[in-house]
Amino acid sequence: MNVELPFAPVDTIIRRNAGDLRVSADASKELAKRIQEHGSELAIDAAERATEDGRKTLMAEDFGVETVVDKDDLELPVAPVDRIARLEIDNRYRVSMDARVALADILEDYADNVAGAAAILARHADRRTITDDDIETYFSLFE
């Protein structure tokens, strides 16, 4: 699977949860991959909801979002999130701008949760750097 999400915004999300810890490039890469997989799964579910409603356009409510945040308030860029949404769904679907922003918001919250837990794991291991092992350990423990 090719990772569509740039690592820089993912690195920023990890760093805002890391406090005084450093962040390895591999941690950003691993979290970007996990965000992409999660986003793709959410888009498949959203496409099923849209189909049930007789639509070919994914809307924010298909992702369970009632109020869409301002895209400028997000760290994750909307264009790669749009590509993530389209990875595993049929090309006949369209993704509205509100749906893209809603998905970016959901994925950013997801990334914040993982990054916060990874920071705890790194501190518990008495390390000064969050690594991809911390991201992988989170998923092996909590998912």
Side-chain angles (χ1 to χ4, degrees), residues 37-98:
E37 290 169 355
H38 185 62
S40 183
E41 291 167 2
L42 292 173
I44 291 169
D45 293 341
E48 289 172 2
R49 284 188 208 87
T51 299
E52 289 169 3
D53 288 347
R55 291 182 282 109
K56 292 182 182 176
T57 301
L58 278 62
M59 309 296 283
E61 58 265 18
D62 295 324
F63 290 98
V65 175
E66 293 180 22
T67 305
V68 179
V69 300
D70 187 333
K71 71 178 181 176
D72 294 331
D73 294 338
L74 297 172
E75 192 64 45
L76 294 179
V78 173
V81 170
D82 178 47
R83 289 192 297 275
I84 289 168
R86 296 169 189 276
L87 282 174
E88 300 294 328
I89 62 173
D90 193 311
N91 286 338
R92 65 189 167 108
Y93 289 103
R94 295 172 29 147
V95 183
S96 72
M97 180 55 81
D98 280 352

Side-chain angles (χ1 to χ4, degrees), residues 117-134:
I120 291 168
L121 290 167
R123 284 187 189 96
H124 182 72
D126 202 26
R127 282 185 280 104
R128 295 182 49 197
T129 304
I130 297 172
T131 67
D132 57 330
D133 288 340
D134 298 313

